[in-house]
Amino acid sequence: MSQPRSSCIPGHGERLPHTSPAGCGPTRSASAAVEDAAPGSLPQSPDHLAMSICQKVAGAWHGSRDQGGAEVPVGVVASLALLEQPEDGPDVTARLLRFSPHQLVAHYRRVWAMLWLIRPELAGWARPVRSWLEQSELGRERADAVHAVTQAALRAGLLDVTGSVAPYRRSQVDVLGVLLRELRSVGASQAIGEFHTPPDASDLMVRLTLEDELRPEQWFDDPTAGTGGLLRATAQRLRETGRDPGDFGWALNDVDPIASACCAVNAYLWRLGPRVLVACSDVLEQSDPYAQALEERAAAFARRAALISTVEPLAMLQKQLPDVSSMRSD
């Protein structure tokens, strides 16, 4: 993971269109969000809790009979991390713990469909950790493994870490990064050149290097982002100094498709705002990893617009049709 660069994205001087879909960005000031996450608000430090959660998730996954790769348990945890637990709302954890394996699969499909409606580009970039949900029939072993991983994550307290509606609190730790490291052996990580910067080191680097004077809509770029931990620390530091991460641009790239997909999920989880680019490429071979990401982003919003333009006339037509559900044949 490299030090984040403050830039205009090399080769792309134009500004991305400013979109503000529902659920994107904090609803209150950055300072207020920090106040919501006072020290001691969690029973143990977020880092230790995340490690405990991921160890239990990895144990549940390895104890299942599923022969799939890391994208399945990472996808389950990513699906859960996209959810919110309002302080005065119903207990999301308790509700999900009552779901059967097939109910969970259906629920996760709805979660990703909703993300696609809100942020189609992020849903597209996250496909490596959700594509297994696109199978029409997962099979009993896969459904049971998904259920086991879900139970382990929820009972260990995942939504205590990721479920807060306060952006600062839900961004205190990179759970997906911890999980990916837990699932992969040291040798497997070294084989793909995966070396994660420890959270404490990321926080220190950001505090020492982040400029006091930053222009709104300036970009932060990490071409070897892993799962985005260094930019998470940057966003948290911005909030601590009274600035909103949504006012800036964020570019994240990694050669590992699963890590890159986690960046897309984390961009939403950490409320980085509407100006986000996520790429998956080898920067040693491709000098501009974000050119394709810009095209993918534009295509994703175009597909959503096309779908909405088709659905709206159908919805209007349906209102004009007679209700035949209660009509009798006589």
Side-chain angles (χ1 to χ4, degrees):
M1 184 184 297
S2 62
Q3 181 176 334
R5 299 179 296 181
S6 174
S7 68
C8 295
I9 303 301
H12 301 287
E14 76 277 14
R15 288 170 50 190
L16 292 176
H18 182 84
T19 56
S20 300
C24 175
T27 57
R28 292 177 293 169
S29 69
S31 298
V34 174
E35 292 172 1
D36 284 342
S41 58
L42 292 176
Q44 56 181 303
S45 76
D47 290 329
H48 285 98
L49 183 54
M51 178 59 71
S52 175
I53 293 168
C54 294
Q55 288 174 343
K56 290 179 172 62
V57 166
W61 172 248
H62 292 310
S64 73
R65 300 177 63 183
D66 195 298
Q67 300 299 314
E71 67 275 4
V72 179
V74 172
V76 170
V77 173
S79 302
L80 292 169
L82 292 170
L83 304 176
E84 289 185 347
Q85 174 58 71
E87 291 185 6
D88 56 351
D91 190 335
V92 176
T93 293
R95 178 170 178 263
L96 291 176
L97 285 173
R98 295 193 294 268
F99 278 21
S100 69
H102 292 291
Q103 285 176 320
L104 281 173
V105 170
H107 181 71
Y108 292 151
R109 286 170 174 161
R110 289 193 295 270
V111 168
W112 288 104
M114 184 59 66
L115 180 64
W116 184 84
L117 287 172
I118 297 172
R119 296 294 298 273
E121 82 287 25
L122 297 182
W125 291 324
R127 191 171 184 274
V129 298
R130 65 171 178 82
S131 60
W132 54 271
L133 281 165
E134 298 172 1
Q135 302 173 27
S136 58
E137 294 292 336
L138 290 188
R140 181 173 179 178
E141 290 184 357
R142 174 63 53 86
D144 287 346
V146 167
H147 185 261
V149 167
T150 300
Q151 291 272 322
L154 292 175
R155 294 185 186 280
L158 177 64
L159 293 190
D160 291 336
V161 176
T162 63
S164 175
V165 297
Y168 186 85
R169 181 171 174 179
R170 68 189 289 125
S171 306
Q172 288 181 292
V173 63
D174 177 12
V175 175
L176 297 179
V178 176
L179 177 59
L180 197 55
R181 293 194 296 275
E182 187 68 24
L183 290 168
R184 285 178 172 164
S185 66
V186 174
S189 296
Q190 291 178 344
I192 60 174
E194 188 176 70
F195 301 95
H196 294 265
T197 304
D200 290 345
S202 296
D203 292 340
L204 179 60
M205 289 171 61
V206 168
R207 289 177 181 276
L208 293 175
T209 61
L210 189 65
E211 303 171 18
D212 291 330
E213 298 297 328
L214 293 171
R215 302 185 309 277
E217 301 183 1
Q218 190 168 333
W219 282 78
F220 294 100
D221 167 25
D222 190 347
T224 54
T227 52
L230 198 52
L231 293 190
R232 180 204 64 80
T234 302
Q236 292 294 79
R237 184 57 179 168
L238 289 173
R239 292 186 175 108
E240 291 168 357
T241 54
R243 291 171 285 190
D244 186 349
D247 292 336
F248 300 87
W250 305 86
L252 305 94
N253 173 74
D254 199 81
V255 68
D256 174 22
I258 296 181
S260 177
C262 289
C263 285
V265 177
N266 282 335
Y268 184 83
L269 173 63
W270 300 335
R271 299 298 190 261
L272 296 186
R275 288 176 293 278
V276 174
L277 289 175
V278 177
C280 181
S281 67
D282 186 344
V283 292
L284 297 179
E285 298 180 357
Q286 188 173 351
S287 60
D288 184 1
Y290 303 115
Q292 182 176 344
L294 276 168
E295 295 177 1
E296 292 168 346
R297 183 184 191 277
F301 280 100
R303 284 195 298 272
R304 188 186 68 174
L307 177 63
I308 292 175
S309 68
T310 302
V311 172
E312 286 182 346
L314 290 176
M316 295 178 62
L317 177 61
Q318 185 178 29
K319 292 179 181 179
Q320 299 173 18
L321 294 174
D323 181 7
V324 299
S325 60
S326 60
M327 289 186 181
R328 297 169 57 183
S329 58
D330 57 355

